[in-house]
Amino acid sequence: MSITPVKEPVLPKAQAEAIIKLLRKGERIDGRGLLDYRPISVYLNPIEKADGSSHVILGTTQVITGVKIELGEPFADRPDEGVLQVHAEFVPLASQTFEPGPPDENSIEVARVVDRSLREPKAIDFKQLVVAPGKKVWVVFNDIYLIDHGGNIVDASMLSSMLALATAKIPYYEEKEPGVYVVDNKRHVSSLPVNTLVATVTMGVHEDIIVVDPSIEEEVVLNTFLTIAVDEKGRVCGIQKKGIAGISRKTLEQAVEIALKQGGFLIDLIRKILNNPSDYMKPLETNQY
Amino acid sequence: MEAVSSKPRLLREDGTRLDGRRLDELRPVKIRVGVLKNANGSALVEYGGTKVLAAVFGPREALPRHIALPDRATLRVRYHMAPFSTSERKSPAPSRREIELSKVIREALESVVFSEQFPRTSIDIFIEVLQADGGTRTAGLTAASIALADAGIPMKDLVIGVAVGKIEGNLALDINELEDEYGEADLPVGIAPNIGEILLLQLNGVLTPEELKAGIELAWRGVESIYKVAKEALYAKYIKAFEEVK
């Protein structure tokens, strides 16, 4: 059952009013323009035991995504395709408002939005992940781990997932006897095949003002959010409206335009990172404040 | 390529859909109001083969007490599919999909209900999909908003849902299960037509920006038709009650 939540953390009223007042003037409390992302830092392969991993820092939000690739069975209705599973964990160390326990509606929503945004434009080439049609395929587990919540979890999760998947390697396997497979996940043979890069652009909406990449303070004050996923061809490959207020048709059209532009910026960033991955291989260390 | 060849055609030679509809045509919409005795408000909504029942209890004491809000009513929404509603039996335990849809339906209803008139109470909305044939979240949203109206809860507007899909390259209104499964996109939309706001919006699939805009237009026209049926169903119940009193 979904229950109206209490908005947390509670902001001082003066700060909440200041955020709105500035938005009306086209300004933000952290000095960004309305359409700007916060600084983004990326580290590839922080977790050597995963088949692919990345650590993304977006402003003060930090996400680690680990990809594990295992042999498993295909879905009965898709015998000639590999399987993708996306999960998100909002662990209690990430925020004073998170409690331990099974995934709540917010983490399920993030995981499902990332899942759909990857699945629908066929970001991963599942046809190439078949070992024995109808019997054995590669199952790709994409686990999103939020370790510090500073707002806009979706875009950080999507960026981190895309980078972890695009750098993931398929483990080596042998068929010892017919139908018996042995996987050696210390050896890797090929990269996970990627068809297209995808990015999500999350925007907060106040009346007809749109702000890209809302910080946690802005998330508490704003009531409506739109996440729009775009692929390399400039197509819209996923939308999720969140929050308790509505939007007009005109605002939606503006948001799509902004998403195409800023999504292009994020995809260029991902491409730049993937072209020179060794520049981004650094030991795991979290942001210093 | 086997999967592609086994995919059924969704459009006939003359451009109509497999169930005989035009691309911009709704399935038959049936709405009945006040179908349950215990609930404060209820509605049964059918979009073709999709049948959804919604019931509203409240405003009532918010329990457990910690969910109560000092300045407004708490909305609690559960979207749930009956085990017999799908071709293969669905486990009655809530799935990740049902948890997500409960959230987006709740959020779509939050801004039309004048919840600040009922602080510290809860308004509970239960949606049961009895038979699923595509568009269950949107039919569920429609049913929930009509049940809220039937319960006499003050609202800015009804919220009417409808899904637009893309089948064989064409946008199609109110897609059924087959069109959802084999189509290229599913765009569920919830609209409050009188205040002109989009309250629920998801996209599962790939669309160009132009297709997205056209899809919203198509959904809007569909919503306006369903809105008329909803209003007639609400009037029918209250005119009948009024005449009985007379």
Side-chain angles (χ1 to χ4, degrees), chain A residues 258-282:
Chain A
I258 294 168
L260 290 171
K261 188 167 163 280
Q262 295 303 80
F265 155 75
L266 291 175
I267 287 174
D268 285 344
L269 177 71
I270 298 171
R271 213 180 272 130
K272 189 183 128 206
I273 294 165
L274 294 177
N275 283 339
N276 296 297
S278 53
D279 293 357
Y280 298 90
M281 306 274 186
K282 283 180 190 151

mmCIF file with all atom_site columns, all heavy atoms in Angstrom, chain A residues 258-282:
data_model
loop_
_atom_site.group_PDB
_atom_site.id
_atom_site.type_symbol
_atom_site.label_atom_id
_atom_site.label_alt_id
_atom_site.label_comp_id
_atom_site.label_asym_id
_atom_site.label_entity_id
_atom_site.label_seq_id
_atom_site.pdbx_PDB_ins_code
_atom_site.Cartn_x
_atom_site.Cartn_y
_atom_site.Cartn_z
_atom_site.occupancy
_atom_site.B_iso_or_equiv
_atom_site.pdbx_formal_charge
_atom_site.auth_seq_id
_atom_site.auth_comp_id
_atom_site.auth_asym_id
_atom_site.auth_atom_id
_atom_site.pdbx_PDB_model_num
ATOM 1   N N   . ILE A 1 258 ? 14.295 20.018 -23.045 1.00 0.00 ? 258 ILE A N   1
ATOM 2   C CA  . ILE A 1 258 ? 15.436 20.114 -22.125 1.00 0.00 ? 258 ILE A CA  1
ATOM 3   C C   . ILE A 1 258 ? 16.103 18.752 -21.972 1.00 0.00 ? 258 ILE A C   1
ATOM 4   O O   . ILE A 1 258 ? 17.332 18.624 -21.992 1.00 0.00 ? 258 ILE A O   1
ATOM 5   C CB  . ILE A 1 258 ? 14.970 20.653 -20.752 1.00 0.00 ? 258 ILE A CB  1
ATOM 6   C CG1 . ILE A 1 258 ? 14.497 22.103 -20.898 1.00 0.00 ? 258 ILE A CG1 1
ATOM 7   C CG2 . ILE A 1 258 ? 16.081 20.541 -19.713 1.00 0.00 ? 258 ILE A CG2 1
ATOM 8   C CD1 . ILE A 1 258 ? 13.760 22.627 -19.681 1.00 0.00 ? 258 ILE A CD1 1
ATOM 9   N N   . ALA A 1 259 ? 15.271 17.699 -21.851 1.00 0.00 ? 259 ALA A N   1
ATOM 10  C CA  . ALA A 1 259 ? 15.821 16.351 -21.646 1.00 0.00 ? 259 ALA A CA  1
ATOM 11  C C   . ALA A 1 259 ? 16.659 15.920 -22.839 1.00 0.00 ? 259 ALA A C   1
ATOM 12  O O   . ALA A 1 259 ? 17.709 15.288 -22.669 1.00 0.00 ? 259 ALA A O   1
ATOM 13  C CB  . ALA A 1 259 ? 14.688 15.360 -21.397 1.00 0.00 ? 259 ALA A CB  1
ATOM 14  N N   . LEU A 1 260 ? 16.223 16.269 -24.047 1.00 0.00 ? 260 LEU A N   1
ATOM 15  C CA  . LEU A 1 260 ? 16.990 15.868 -25.229 1.00 0.00 ? 260 LEU A CA  1
ATOM 16  C C   . LEU A 1 260 ? 18.355 16.553 -25.225 1.00 0.00 ? 260 LEU A C   1
ATOM 17  O O   . LEU A 1 260 ? 19.375 15.947 -25.540 1.00 0.00 ? 260 LEU A O   1
ATOM 18  C CB  . LEU A 1 260 ? 16.221 16.217 -26.505 1.00 0.00 ? 260 LEU A CB  1
ATOM 19  C CG  . LEU A 1 260 ? 14.967 15.370 -26.756 1.00 0.00 ? 260 LEU A CG  1
ATOM 20  C CD1 . LEU A 1 260 ? 14.166 15.924 -27.910 1.00 0.00 ? 260 LEU A CD1 1
ATOM 21  C CD2 . LEU A 1 260 ? 15.339 13.916 -27.025 1.00 0.00 ? 260 LEU A CD2 1
ATOM 22  N N   . LYS A 1 261 ? 18.370 17.823 -24.820 1.00 0.00 ? 261 LYS A N   1
ATOM 23  C CA  . LYS A 1 261 ? 19.615 18.574 -24.819 1.00 0.00 ? 261 LYS A CA  1
ATOM 24  C C   . LYS A 1 261 ? 20.552 18.066 -23.707 1.00 0.00 ? 261 LYS A C   1
ATOM 25  O O   . LYS A 1 261 ? 21.704 17.719 -23.956 1.00 0.00 ? 261 LYS A O   1
ATOM 26  C CB  . LYS A 1 261 ? 19.301 20.055 -24.600 1.00 0.00 ? 261 LYS A CB  1
ATOM 27  C CG  . LYS A 1 261 ? 20.475 20.978 -24.758 1.00 0.00 ? 261 LYS A CG  1
ATOM 28  C CD  . LYS A 1 261 ? 20.028 22.436 -24.847 1.00 0.00 ? 261 LYS A CD  1
ATOM 29  C CE  . LYS A 1 261 ? 21.197 23.364 -24.587 1.00 0.00 ? 261 LYS A CE  1
ATOM 30  N NZ  . LYS A 1 261 ? 21.480 23.491 -23.136 1.00 0.00 ? 261 LYS A NZ  1
ATOM 31  N N   . GLN A 1 262 ? 20.039 18.009 -22.489 1.00 0.00 ? 262 GLN A N   1
ATOM 32  C CA  . GLN A 1 262 ? 20.889 17.609 -21.362 1.00 0.00 ? 262 GLN A CA  1
ATOM 33  C C   . GLN A 1 262 ? 21.216 16.118 -21.407 1.00 0.00 ? 262 GLN A C   1
ATOM 34  O O   . GLN A 1 262 ? 22.278 15.705 -20.949 1.00 0.00 ? 262 GLN A O   1
ATOM 35  C CB  . GLN A 1 262 ? 20.231 17.974 -20.030 1.00 0.00 ? 262 GLN A CB  1
ATOM 36  C CG  . GLN A 1 262 ? 20.062 19.468 -19.804 1.00 0.00 ? 262 GLN A CG  1
ATOM 37  C CD  . GLN A 1 262 ? 21.369 20.217 -19.894 1.00 0.00 ? 262 GLN A CD  1
ATOM 38  O OE1 . GLN A 1 262 ? 21.850 20.511 -20.983 1.00 0.00 ? 262 GLN A OE1 1
ATOM 39  N NE2 . GLN A 1 262 ? 21.970 20.520 -18.749 1.00 0.00 ? 262 GLN A NE2 1
ATOM 40  N N   . GLY A 1 263 ? 20.306 15.313 -21.951 1.00 0.00 ? 263 GLY A N   1
ATOM 41  C CA  . GLY A 1 263 ? 20.587 13.886 -22.141 1.00 0.00 ? 263 GLY A CA  1
ATOM 42  C C   . GLY A 1 263 ? 21.743 13.712 -23.108 1.00 0.00 ? 263 GLY A C   1
ATOM 43  O O   . GLY A 1 263 ? 22.614 12.855 -22.915 1.00 0.00 ? 263 GLY A O   1
ATOM 44  N N   . GLY A 1 264 ? 21.773 14.553 -24.147 1.00 0.00 ? 264 GLY A N   1
ATOM 45  C CA  . GLY A 1 264 ? 22.885 14.517 -25.097 1.00 0.00 ? 264 GLY A CA  1
ATOM 46  C C   . GLY A 1 264 ? 24.204 14.837 -24.412 1.00 0.00 ? 264 GLY A C   1
ATOM 47  O O   . GLY A 1 264 ? 25.228 14.194 -24.650 1.00 0.00 ? 264 GLY A O   1
ATOM 48  N N   . PHE A 1 265 ? 24.151 15.810 -23.494 1.00 0.00 ? 265 PHE A N   1
ATOM 49  C CA  . PHE A 1 265 ? 25.350 16.171 -22.721 1.00 0.00 ? 265 PHE A CA  1
ATOM 50  C C   . PHE A 1 265 ? 25.831 14.980 -21.880 1.00 0.00 ? 265 PHE A C   1
ATOM 51  O O   . PHE A 1 265 ? 27.033 14.666 -21.844 1.00 0.00 ? 265 PHE A O   1
ATOM 52  C CB  . PHE A 1 265 ? 25.023 17.393 -21.837 1.00 0.00 ? 265 PHE A CB  1
ATOM 53  C CG  . PHE A 1 265 ? 25.851 17.543 -20.608 1.00 0.00 ? 265 PHE A CG  1
ATOM 54  C CD1 . PHE A 1 265 ? 27.165 18.001 -20.692 1.00 0.00 ? 265 PHE A CD1 1
ATOM 55  C CD2 . PHE A 1 265 ? 25.334 17.235 -19.351 1.00 0.00 ? 265 PHE A CD2 1
ATOM 56  C CE1 . PHE A 1 265 ? 27.936 18.138 -19.547 1.00 0.00 ? 265 PHE A CE1 1
ATOM 57  C CE2 . PHE A 1 265 ? 26.099 17.367 -18.209 1.00 0.00 ? 265 PHE A CE2 1
ATOM 58  C CZ  . PHE A 1 265 ? 27.409 17.819 -18.305 1.00 0.00 ? 265 PHE A CZ  1
ATOM 59  N N   . LEU A 1 266 ? 24.885 14.281 -21.228 1.00 0.00 ? 266 LEU A N   1
ATOM 60  C CA  . LEU A 1 266 ? 25.280 13.132 -20.395 1.00 0.00 ? 266 LEU A CA  1
ATOM 61  C C   . LEU A 1 266 ? 25.818 11.984 -21.244 1.00 0.00 ? 266 LEU A C   1
ATOM 62  O O   . LEU A 1 266 ? 26.796 11.322 -20.876 1.00 0.00 ? 266 LEU A O   1
ATOM 63  C CB  . LEU A 1 266 ? 24.080 12.651 -19.558 1.00 0.00 ? 266 LEU A CB  1
ATOM 64  C CG  . LEU A 1 266 ? 23.617 13.587 -18.441 1.00 0.00 ? 266 LEU A CG  1
ATOM 65  C CD1 . LEU A 1 266 ? 22.362 13.037 -17.785 1.00 0.00 ? 266 LEU A CD1 1
ATOM 66  C CD2 . LEU A 1 266 ? 24.711 13.761 -17.383 1.00 0.00 ? 266 LEU A CD2 1
ATOM 67  N N   . ILE A 1 267 ? 25.186 11.757 -22.411 1.00 0.00 ? 267 ILE A N   1
ATOM 68  C CA  . ILE A 1 267 ? 25.645 10.665 -23.276 1.00 0.00 ? 267 ILE A CA  1
ATOM 69  C C   . ILE A 1 267 ? 27.054 10.980 -23.804 1.00 0.00 ? 267 ILE A C   1
ATOM 70  O O   . ILE A 1 267 ? 27.916 10.100 -23.856 1.00 0.00 ? 267 ILE A O   1
ATOM 71  C CB  . ILE A 1 267 ? 24.627 10.425 -24.415 1.00 0.00 ? 267 ILE A CB  1
ATOM 72  C CG1 . ILE A 1 267 ? 23.379 9.736  -23.828 1.00 0.00 ? 267 ILE A CG1 1
ATOM 73  C CG2 . ILE A 1 267 ? 25.233 9.562  -25.524 1.00 0.00 ? 267 ILE A CG2 1
ATOM 74  C CD1 . ILE A 1 267 ? 22.226 9.566  -24.785 1.00 0.00 ? 267 ILE A CD1 1
ATOM 75  N N   . ASP A 1 268 ? 27.302 12.257 -24.141 1.00 0.00 ? 268 ASP A N   1
ATOM 76  C CA  . ASP A 1 268 ? 28.658 12.644 -24.567 1.00 0.00 ? 268 ASP A CA  1
ATOM 77  C C   . ASP A 1 268 ? 29.668 12.396 -23.455 1.00 0.00 ? 268 ASP A C   1
ATOM 78  O O   . ASP A 1 268 ? 30.790 11.945 -23.705 1.00 0.00 ? 268 ASP A O   1
ATOM 79  C CB  . ASP A 1 268 ? 28.694 14.132 -24.952 1.00 0.00 ? 268 ASP A CB  1
ATOM 80  C CG  . ASP A 1 268 ? 28.031 14.383 -26.300 1.00 0.00 ? 268 ASP A CG  1
ATOM 81  O OD1 . ASP A 1 268 ? 27.831 13.397 -27.046 1.00 0.00 ? 268 ASP A OD1 1
ATOM 82  O OD2 . ASP A 1 268 ? 27.705 15.547 -26.599 1.00 0.00 ? 268 ASP A OD2 1
ATOM 83  N N   . LEU A 1 269 ? 29.260 12.704 -22.223 1.00 0.00 ? 269 LEU A N   1
ATOM 84  C CA  . LEU A 1 269 ? 30.137 12.479 -21.071 1.00 0.00 ? 269 LEU A CA  1
ATOM 85  C C   . LEU A 1 269 ? 30.448 10.989 -20.923 1.00 0.00 ? 269 LEU A C   1
ATOM 86  O O   . LEU A 1 269 ? 31.605 10.597 -20.726 1.00 0.00 ? 269 LEU A O   1
ATOM 87  C CB  . LEU A 1 269 ? 29.470 13.023 -19.796 1.00 0.00 ? 269 LEU A CB  1
ATOM 88  C CG  . LEU A 1 269 ? 30.227 12.796 -18.499 1.00 0.00 ? 269 LEU A CG  1
ATOM 89  C CD1 . LEU A 1 269 ? 31.476 13.674 -18.442 1.00 0.00 ? 269 LEU A CD1 1
ATOM 90  C CD2 . LEU A 1 269 ? 29.343 13.075 -17.281 1.00 0.00 ? 269 LEU A CD2 1
ATOM 91  N N   . ILE A 1 270 ? 29.410 10.143 -21.033 1.00 0.00 ? 270 ILE A N   1
ATOM 92  C CA  . ILE A 1 270 ? 29.614 8.689  -20.917 1.00 0.00 ? 270 ILE A CA  1
ATOM 93  C C   . ILE A 1 270 ? 30.574 8.217  -22.019 1.00 0.00 ? 270 ILE A C   1
ATOM 94  O O   . ILE A 1 270 ? 31.508 7.447  -21.775 1.00 0.00 ? 270 ILE A O   1
ATOM 95  C CB  . ILE A 1 270 ? 28.266 7.931  -21.029 1.00 0.00 ? 270 ILE A CB  1
ATOM 96  C CG1 . ILE A 1 270 ? 27.315 8.320  -19.894 1.00 0.00 ? 270 ILE A CG1 1
ATOM 97  C CG2 . ILE A 1 270 ? 28.500 6.428  -21.031 1.00 0.00 ? 270 ILE A CG2 1
ATOM 98  C CD1 . ILE A 1 270 ? 25.903 7.776  -20.055 1.00 0.00 ? 270 ILE A CD1 1
ATOM 99  N N   . ARG A 1 271 ? 30.350 8.741  -23.231 1.00 0.00 ? 271 ARG A N   1
ATOM 100 C CA  . ARG A 1 271 ? 31.190 8.340  -24.361 1.00 0.00 ? 271 ARG A CA  1
ATOM 101 C C   . ARG A 1 271 ? 32.652 8.729  -24.113 1.00 0.00 ? 271 ARG A C   1
ATOM 102 O O   . ARG A 1 271 ? 33.562 7.948  -24.351 1.00 0.00 ? 271 ARG A O   1
ATOM 103 C CB  . ARG A 1 271 ? 30.652 9.006  -25.634 1.00 0.00 ? 271 ARG A CB  1
ATOM 104 C CG  . ARG A 1 271 ? 30.851 8.155  -26.866 1.00 0.00 ? 271 ARG A CG  1
ATOM 105 C CD  . ARG A 1 271 ? 30.299 8.838  -28.099 1.00 0.00 ? 271 ARG A CD  1
ATOM 106 N NE  . ARG A 1 271 ? 28.899 8.560  -28.332 1.00 0.00 ? 271 ARG A NE  1
ATOM 107 C CZ  . ARG A 1 271 ? 27.965 9.487  -28.571 1.00 0.00 ? 271 ARG A CZ  1
ATOM 108 N NH1 . ARG A 1 271 ? 28.278 10.760 -28.566 1.00 0.00 ? 271 ARG A NH1 1
ATOM 109 N NH2 . ARG A 1 271 ? 26.720 9.137  -28.820 1.00 0.00 ? 271 ARG A NH2 1
ATOM 110 N N   . LYS A 1 272 ? 32.836 9.948  -23.592 1.00 0.00 ? 272 LYS A N   1
ATOM 111 C CA  . LYS A 1 272 ? 34.192 10.428 -23.315 1.00 0.00 ? 272 LYS A CA  1
ATOM 112 C C   . LYS A 1 272 ? 34.877 9.516  -22.283 1.00 0.00 ? 272 LYS A C   1
ATOM 113 O O   . LYS A 1 272 ? 36.039 9.152  -22.432 1.00 0.00 ? 272 LYS A O   1
ATOM 114 C CB  . LYS A 1 272 ? 34.094 11.867 -22.769 1.00 0.00 ? 272 LYS A CB  1
ATOM 115 C CG  . LYS A 1 272 ? 35.420 12.585 -22.626 1.00 0.00 ? 272 LYS A CG  1
ATOM 116 C CD  . LYS A 1 272 ? 35.226 13.972 -22.012 1.00 0.00 ? 272 LYS A CD  1
ATOM 117 C CE  . LYS A 1 272 ? 36.149 14.147 -20.832 1.00 0.00 ? 272 LYS A CE  1
ATOM 118 N NZ  . LYS A 1 272 ? 35.683 15.105 -19.843 1.00 0.00 ? 272 LYS A NZ  1
ATOM 119 N N   . ILE A 1 273 ? 34.133 9.126  -21.263 1.00 0.00 ? 273 ILE A N   1
ATOM 120 C CA  . ILE A 1 273 ? 34.690 8.256  -20.224 1.00 0.00 ? 273 ILE A CA  1
ATOM 121 C C   . ILE A 1 273 ? 35.038 6.885  -20.804 1.00 0.00 ? 273 ILE A C   1
ATOM 122 O O   . ILE A 1 273 ? 36.103 6.335  -20.553 1.00 0.00 ? 273 ILE A O   1
ATOM 123 C CB  . ILE A 1 273 ? 33.697 8.126  -19.049 1.00 0.00 ? 273 ILE A CB  1
ATOM 124 C CG1 . ILE A 1 273 ? 33.526 9.480  -18.353 1.00 0.00 ? 273 ILE A CG1 1
ATOM 125 C CG2 . ILE A 1 273 ? 34.160 7.062  -18.067 1.00 0.00 ? 273 ILE A CG2 1
ATOM 126 C CD1 . ILE A 1 273 ? 32.322 9.557  -17.437 1.00 0.00 ? 273 ILE A CD1 1
ATOM 127 N N   . LEU A 1 274 ? 34.130 6.353  -21.642 1.00 0.00 ? 274 LEU A N   1
ATOM 128 C CA  . LEU A 1 274 ? 34.351 5.003  -22.175 1.00 0.00 ? 274 LEU A CA  1
ATOM 129 C C   . LEU A 1 274 ? 35.487 4.985  -23.196 1.00 0.00 ? 274 LEU A C   1
ATOM 130 O O   . LEU A 1 274 ? 36.103 3.944  -23.417 1.00 0.00 ? 274 LEU A O   1
ATOM 131 C CB  . LEU A 1 274 ? 33.058 4.467  -22.798 1.00 0.00 ? 274 LEU A CB  1
ATOM 132 C CG  . LEU A 1 274 ? 31.912 4.220  -21.809 1.00 0.00 ? 274 LEU A CG  1
ATOM 133 C CD1 . LEU A 1 274 ? 30.669 3.753  -22.549 1.00 0.00 ? 274 LEU A CD1 1
ATOM 134 C CD2 . LEU A 1 274 ? 32.315 3.198  -20.748 1.00 0.00 ? 274 LEU A CD2 1
ATOM 135 N N   . ASN A 1 275 ? 35.766 6.143  -23.817 1.00 0.00 ? 275 ASN A N   1
ATOM 136 C CA  . ASN A 1 275 ? 36.883 6.194  -24.770 1.00 0.00 ? 275 ASN A CA  1
ATOM 137 C C   . ASN A 1 275 ? 38.225 6.158  -24.071 1.00 0.00 ? 275 ASN A C   1
ATOM 138 O O   . ASN A 1 275 ? 39.212 5.725  -24.660 1.00 0.00 ? 275 ASN A O   1
ATOM 139 C CB  . ASN A 1 275 ? 36.787 7.459  -25.630 1.00 0.00 ? 275 ASN A CB  1
ATOM 140 C CG  . ASN A 1 275 ? 35.737 7.318  -26.701 1.00 0.00 ? 275 ASN A CG  1
ATOM 141 O OD1 . ASN A 1 275 ? 35.347 6.199  -27.061 1.00 0.00 ? 275 ASN A OD1 1
ATOM 142 N ND2 . ASN A 1 275 ? 35.245 8.435  -27.212 1.00 0.00 ? 275 ASN A ND2 1
ATOM 143 N N   . ASN A 1 276 ? 38.288 6.628  -22.845 1.00 0.00 ? 276 ASN A N   1
ATOM 144 C CA  . ASN A 1 276 ? 39.544 6.634  -22.090 1.00 0.00 ? 276 ASN A CA  1
ATOM 145 C C   . ASN A 1 276 ? 39.320 6.061  -20.694 1.00 0.00 ? 276 ASN A C   1
ATOM 146 O O   . ASN A 1 276 ? 39.514 6.745  -19.692 1.00 0.00 ? 276 ASN A O   1
ATOM 147 C CB  . ASN A 1 276 ? 40.095 8.059  -21.954 1.00 0.00 ? 276 ASN A CB  1
ATOM 148 C CG  . ASN A 1 276 ? 40.458 8.635  -23.300 1.00 0.00 ? 276 ASN A CG  1
ATOM 149 O OD1 . ASN A 1 276 ? 41.344 8.132  -23.982 1.00 0.00 ? 276 ASN A OD1 1
ATOM 150 N ND2 . ASN A 1 276 ? 39.745 9.674  -23.700 1.00 0.00 ? 276 ASN A ND2 1
ATOM 151 N N   . PRO A 1 277 ? 38.900 4.787  -20.623 1.00 0.00 ? 277 PRO A N   1
ATOM 152 C CA  . PRO A 1 277 ? 38.510 4.246  -19.309 1.00 0.00 ? 277 PRO A CA  1
ATOM 153 C C   . PRO A 1 277 ? 39.641 4.281  -18.294 1.00 0.00 ? 277 PRO A C   1
ATOM 154 O O   . PRO A 1 277 ? 39.388 4.478  -17.109 1.00 0.00 ? 277 PRO A O   1
ATOM 155 C CB  . PRO A 1 277 ? 38.070 2.815  -19.624 1.00 0.00 ? 277 PRO A CB  1
ATOM 156 C CG  . PRO A 1 277 ? 38.591 2.510  -20.974 1.00 0.00 ? 277 PRO A CG  1
ATOM 157 C CD  . PRO A 1 277 ? 38.754 3.796  -21.697 1.00 0.00 ? 277 PRO A CD  1
ATOM 158 N N   . SER A 1 278 ? 40.906 4.138  -18.763 1.00 0.00 ? 278 SER A N   1
ATOM 159 C CA  . SER A 1 278 ? 41.991 4.048  -17.775 1.00 0.00 ? 278 SER A CA  1
ATOM 160 C C   . SER A 1 278 ? 42.153 5.362  -17.001 1.00 0.00 ? 278 SER A C   1
ATOM 161 O O   . SER A 1 278 ? 42.640 5.369  -15.873 1.00 0.00 ? 278 SER A O   1
ATOM 162 C CB  . SER A 1 278 ? 43.302 3.669  -18.470 1.00 0.00 ? 278 SER A CB  1
ATOM 163 O OG  . SER A 1 278 ? 43.534 4.560  -19.538 1.00 0.00 ? 278 SER A OG  1
ATOM 164 N N   . ASP A 1 279 ? 41.719 6.483  -17.578 1.00 0.00 ? 279 ASP A N   1
ATOM 165 C CA  . ASP A 1 279 ? 41.790 7.762  -16.859 1.00 0.00 ? 279 ASP A CA  1
ATOM 166 C C   . ASP A 1 279 ? 40.864 7.781  -15.639 1.00 0.00 ? 279 ASP A C   1
ATOM 167 O O   . ASP A 1 279 ? 40.981 8.659  -14.786 1.00 0.00 ? 279 ASP A O   1
ATOM 168 C CB  . ASP A 1 279 ? 41.362 8.921  -17.771 1.00 0.00 ? 279 ASP A CB  1
ATOM 169 C CG  . ASP A 1 279 ? 42.349 9.139  -18.900 1.00 0.00 ? 279 ASP A CG  1
ATOM 170 O OD1 . ASP A 1 279 ? 43.372 8.423  -18.917 1.00 0.00 ? 279 ASP A OD1 1
ATOM 171 O OD2 . ASP A 1 279 ? 42.093 9.998  -19.755 1.00 0.00 ? 279 ASP A OD2 1
ATOM 172 N N   . TYR A 1 280 ? 39.900 6.861  -15.618 1.00 0.00 ? 280 TYR A N   1
ATOM 173 C CA  . TYR A 1 280 ? 38.882 6.906  -14.558 1.00 0.00 ? 280 TYR A CA  1
ATOM 174 C C   . TYR A 1 280 ? 38.986 5.733  -13.600 1.00 0.00 ? 280 TYR A C   1
ATOM 175 O O   . TYR A 1 280 ? 38.119 5.522  -12.767 1.00 0.00 ? 280 TYR A O   1
ATOM 176 C CB  . TYR A 1 280 ? 37.480 6.946  -15.189 1.00 0.00 ? 280 TYR A CB  1
ATOM 177 C CG  . TYR A 1 280 ? 37.283 8.179  -16.025 1.00 0.00 ? 280 TYR A CG  1
ATOM 178 C CD1 . TYR A 1 280 ? 37.610 8.180  -17.379 1.00 0.00 ? 280 TYR A CD1 1
ATOM 179 C CD2 . TYR A 1 280 ? 36.827 9.354  -15.447 1.00 0.00 ? 280 TYR A CD2 1
ATOM 180 C CE1 . TYR A 1 280 ? 37.466 9.320  -18.145 1.00 0.00 ? 280 TYR A CE1 1
ATOM 181 C CE2 . TYR A 1 280 ? 36.680 10.498 -16.204 1.00 0.00 ? 280 TYR A CE2 1
ATOM 182 C CZ  . TYR A 1 280 ? 37.003 10.483 -17.556 1.00 0.00 ? 280 TYR A CZ  1
ATOM 183 O OH  . TYR A 1 280 ? 36.866 11.608 -18.298 1.00 0.00 ? 280 TYR A OH  1
ATOM 184 N N   . MET A 1 281 ? 40.068 4.946  -13.737 1.00 0.00 ? 281 MET A N   1
ATOM 185 C CA  . MET A 1 281 ? 40.261 3.817  -12.828 1.00 0.00 ? 281 MET A CA  1
ATOM 186 C C   . MET A 1 281 ? 41.033 4.321  -11.623 1.00 0.00 ? 281 MET A C   1
ATOM 187 O O   . MET A 1 281 ? 42.237 4.512  -11.687 1.00 0.00 ? 281 MET A O   1
ATOM 188 C CB  . MET A 1 281 ? 41.072 2.706  -13.511 1.00 0.00 ? 281 MET A CB  1
ATOM 189 C CG  . MET A 1 281 ? 40.494 2.248  -14.822 1.00 0.00 ? 281 MET A CG  1
ATOM 190 S SD  . MET A 1 281 ? 39.247 0.989  -14.582 1.00 0.00 ? 281 MET A SD  1
ATOM 191 C CE  . MET A 1 281 ? 38.916 0.528  -16.280 1.00 0.00 ? 281 MET A CE  1
ATOM 192 N N   . LYS A 1 282 ? 40.341 4.573  -10.545 1.00 0.00 ? 282 LYS A N   1
ATOM 193 C CA  . LYS A 1 282 ? 41.021 5.048  -9.353  1.00 0.00 ? 282 LYS A CA  1
ATOM 194 C C   . LYS A 1 282 ? 40.528 4.221  -8.183  1.00 0.00 ? 282 LYS A C   1
ATOM 195 O O   . LYS A 1 282 ? 39.445 3.664  -8.227  1.00 0.00 ? 282 LYS A O   1
ATOM 196 C CB  . LYS A 1 282 ? 40.704 6.527  -9.122  1.00 0.00 ? 282 LYS A CB  1
ATOM 197 C CG  . LYS A 1 282 ? 41.503 7.407  -10.064 1.00 0.00 ? 282 LYS A CG  1
ATOM 198 C CD  . LYS A 1 282 ? 41.218 8.869  -9.873  1.00 0.00 ? 282 LYS A CD  1
ATOM 199 C CE  . LYS A 1 282 ? 41.868 9.647  -11.003 1.00 0.00 ? 282 LYS A CE  1
ATOM 200 N NZ  . LYS A 1 282 ? 41.159 10.871 -11.316 1.00 0.00 ? 282 LYS A NZ  1
#
